[in-house]
Amino acid sequence: MGVNNNVLGLIFASLHDSTVVELTKQRTMGSIMFGGRYRLIDFPLSNMVNSGITEVGVITKSNYGSLLDHLGTGREWDLARKKGGLNLLPPFSQSNGDGVYRGRLEALNNVWSYVQNSKCEYVVLSDCDYVANVNFAKVIDKHIETGADITVVYGKYKYSEDSGLCVDVLEMDDEGRIQSVLIDPQISGEVKICLDMYVMRKDFLSKLVKDAASRNQYSLIRDCLQARVKENVFMGYEFDGYFSRIDSVRSYYNANMALLNSDNRNALFKPNAPIYTKIGDNGPVKYGLESKAANSLIADGCIIEGTVENSILFRGVKVGKGSVVRGCVLMQGTTIGDNCSLTSVITDKNVEMENGRVLTGSESYPLYIGKNAKI
Amino acid sequence: MNAKKKVIAMLLAGGQGSRLYALTQNVAKPAVPYGGKYRIIDFALSNCTNSGIDTVGVLTQYQPLVLNEYIGNGQPWDLDRMYGGVHVLSPFETKEGADWFQGTANAIYQNMRFIERYDPEYVIVLGGDHIYKMDYSKLVEFHEKNQADGTIAVINVPMEEASRFGIKTVDDENRVVRFTEKPKEPESTLASMGIYCFTWQKLKKYLIENENANTGSKDFGKDIIPAMLANKERLFAYTFDGYWKDVGTLDSLWEANMDLLSPSVPLDLYDRKWKIYARHNNMPPQYIGDSAKIENSMITEGSNINGEVDFSIIFSGVTIEEGAVVNYSILMPGTVVKSGAVVEYAIVGENCVVESGARIGTSPESIANRDDWGIAVVGHNVTISANKVVAPKDIISENV
């Protein structure tokens, strides 16, 4: 892994918050818990670090307390550095704008002096709604090789009734040049969808941001990619690895459950490109007398005395004696008493359930229990 | 900011751990894995940080590479401080010549300049080979209250085991009146834990005297404490009543791990107010497969379990395939147990491979003569080939 000193990473932690209102009530999209011990921002952030990027700015909007707590100085991502490193860019952190923004270009205008001060030549932009292990170094290489104005990372995606995703679809010619961009179209069959990750030169981005500001525009996809597809050269870069998208409670549930498949897990958690996260200093998982666990992903600090099947358990979850947990996503600190039964339930952080309670959702409509709820 | 430090700790981590041989060929004893995701030294380091001690000297000399790398800048224990923090102290050469540490007292003597930099009132001397959770600030409080010159932490042991320890006899005020190393007929059950608090100026005087006296041993238990007693210095015994376990032998290492699975053992790794910290290795959560059967066990991140696990401690990144059985055993990080293999009453080191059909160890009940039974041990990076049998008590350090 070389060092990409001339690349700045920019992560939008708060875009798409409105797609999963339940989960972002008290946090940003980037700080949604995922996969047992991660938060969504860990994926783009680790991808950048694993691609040799040593300077990353994280743009937020509101509810960013948990994000600040999670990222800290950036040490766990090796970004606590004198040169570059991690910078959190909450609204009002710069004097350029009024803090509120409607899209990527407006958000960037607000923090432009930070971007301007970076000595980087290229920028990598990423949102937090796609979970994937992407090597940006390869995207950057391709970008330089083709001389494109913007390189857009896309994935092949087969539309199906129960996926229910709202996606942006790219249409390309044989050389990979983007010909048109369709925002949330009616689709069927296999399409190429934009994974919300972009590479471009900083000076090109600068022009986009200033142009948009002067025309009261804000959307990178609509006001730039879609509008200027003929005058500029936008190239697609195919990411052919595993990805999932979170844009509803249901897709959040499905994306977590998809980790019970070992191919998906191995594609996401690679020993040579690990996903870093904040360390919790929990003990190992403790399995009690008569505990049963099958087909589950279980993070450290859990204490299991009952039965857990087809579930994702985050750090420090307790499952009492005689309780049965099936098809559930139990976030950090959930405490299930004795003789409870949970089927297809998502519990947010620190939910407590007294002995003998029964909760049942369905796979296509999982039951979501909010943070700190007592049942 | 170079203010005086009230208390600093000196951690003796030089132990070769010769009785743990198969596991300590390339690592010092304090770096031996314990409890699913820790190393032995994590307990002393975490106790320091949880007790508010932010300056720790770690004295090493045997195979220091792994330990040095593990401790690093001390960040996992919050010991990366601007002034103070954790420092690994190895033997060094001076203009008088170079010397290995010759005994526990000599090791501290050779690092007096490190201690003097912080001008401490008290110095706590710790071993790096015990599993326990202890608030050293209470030891210091006790020491201050008694206006002691030295305070020795002691623990009540059963009378029948007392002759294995250094035994302290105390008066009504907990003042030490006698100290006998491994007595045949113990007159008390207060065993020294190898944890001391000294008033630094007093200890310094005794270290220098001991060095000049050249007793040959240069040891706290053999020299410093007896000399202080002989001079009627104020020596007190501080009784600790929590869990404390020496892990100096393969059997006691196995037992100390199994203790974590016993509901009656008061060593809680899940207490958020007294966390045990460790250096972390960024692995995903453990995956428990459809065919897994797990009871009474501890399993750590990055593991992939499809077989049967009962009464065992499984470290990070371990794979147990479907059809493999692991009972009453300790599997250290990265080890793979293949389908059809059986591991019972055993310690298997880091990054081992137990091929299909191999059998390591067996239960004490299945052996006619109990004297033939003991824990089977496989060292680090060893492959046990298919259908091979490792008998109880065997210690394997090369591929078989």
Side-chain angles (χ1 to χ4, degrees), chain B residues 224-237:
Chain B
I224 302 292
I225 300 296
M228 288 180 85
L229 262 181
N231 288 341
K232 304 233 176 330
E233 301 287 5
R234 290 178 65 81
L235 278 184
F236 284 79

Side-chain angles (χ1 to χ4, degrees), chain B residues 21 36 57 79 82 94-95 103 109 129 132 144 228 247 260 280 292 347 353 366 376 393:
Chain B
Y21 180 71
L79 289 171
M82 293 265 277
T94 64
K95 67 177 191 287
Y109 172 84
D129 40 17
Y132 64 109
E144 276 188 309
M228 288 180 85
V247 284
L260 289 171
H280 201 270
I347 300 175
V353 179
S366 64
K393 269 189 173 172

Side-chain angles (χ1 to χ4, degrees), chain A residues 98-268:
Chain A
D98 59 4
V100 189
Y101 56 81
R102 294 167 289 177
R104 292 180 190 83
L105 294 179
E106 204 164 28
L108 285 167
N109 190 44
N110 286 353
V111 299
W112 192 256
S113 56
Y114 164 75
V115 183
Q116 193 59 50
N117 285 339
S118 163
K119 292 183 179 62
C120 70
E121 203 176 338
Y122 296 94
V123 289
V124 174
L125 311 184
S126 178
D127 298 354
C128 295
D129 56 335
Y130 282 94
V131 174
N133 193 322
V134 181
N135 184 339
F136 287 123
K138 285 187 186 165
V139 188
I140 297 162
D141 286 349
K142 178 84 184 294
H143 178 79
I144 294 170
E145 186 193 309
T146 60
D149 293 314
I150 300 180
T151 299
V152 183
V153 180
Y154 72 89
K156 284 186 179 149
Y157 167 73
K158 235 193 193 105
Y159 179 79
S160 71
E161 279 296 328
D162 61 32
S163 57
L165 293 184
C166 301
V167 291
D168 300 322
V169 172
L170 306 176
E171 291 178 340
M172 274 164 274
D173 66 13
D174 294 344
E175 271 81 54
R177 180 170 172 184
I178 296 169
Q179 300 296 319
S180 63
V181 179
L182 311 170
I183 299 170
D184 191 18
Q186 280 284 349
I187 50 170
S188 57
E190 192 180 77
V191 289
K192 291 164 181 160
I193 61 170
C194 169
L195 299 185
D196 292 340
M197 303 167 198
Y198 313 89
V199 174
M200 63 192 96
R201 290 185 63 86
K202 181 170 83 175
D203 49 19
F204 185 79
L205 181 63
S206 169
K207 212 155 84 27
L208 289 182
V209 168
K210 298 300 160 206
D211 271 12
S214 55
R215 288 162 208 226
N216 190 26
Q217 293 173 340
Y218 53 86
S219 167
L220 177 67
I221 293 183
R222 202 179 52 229
D223 301 325
C224 167
L225 285 182
Q226 202 171 40
R228 302 166 78 151
V229 74
K230 297 288 178 234
E231 59 183 283
N232 291 111
V233 178
F234 303 141
M235 298 292 287
Y237 174 92
E238 188 187 347
F239 170 71
D240 58 4
Y242 172 76
F243 65 86
S244 62
R245 187 186 190 205
I246 286 142
D247 68 349
S248 64
V249 169
R250 186 174 167 196
S251 61
Y252 172 78
Y253 178 80
N254 290 342
N256 272 287
M257 287 301 156
L259 297 178
L260 297 177
N261 174 310
S262 64
D263 292 341
N264 298 344
R265 219 165 46 240
N266 294 337
L268 211 48

Side-chain angles (χ1 to χ4, degrees), chain A residues 23-43:
Chain A
L23 296 170
T24 55
K25 206 169 163 190
Q26 299 179 54
R27 54 174 77 91
T28 64
M29 187 80 183
S31 41
I32 289 176
M33 285 183 263
F34 182 79
R37 61 183 297 255
Y38 303 97
R39 293 191 186 245
L40 291 179
I41 197 168
D42 292 337
F43 293 88

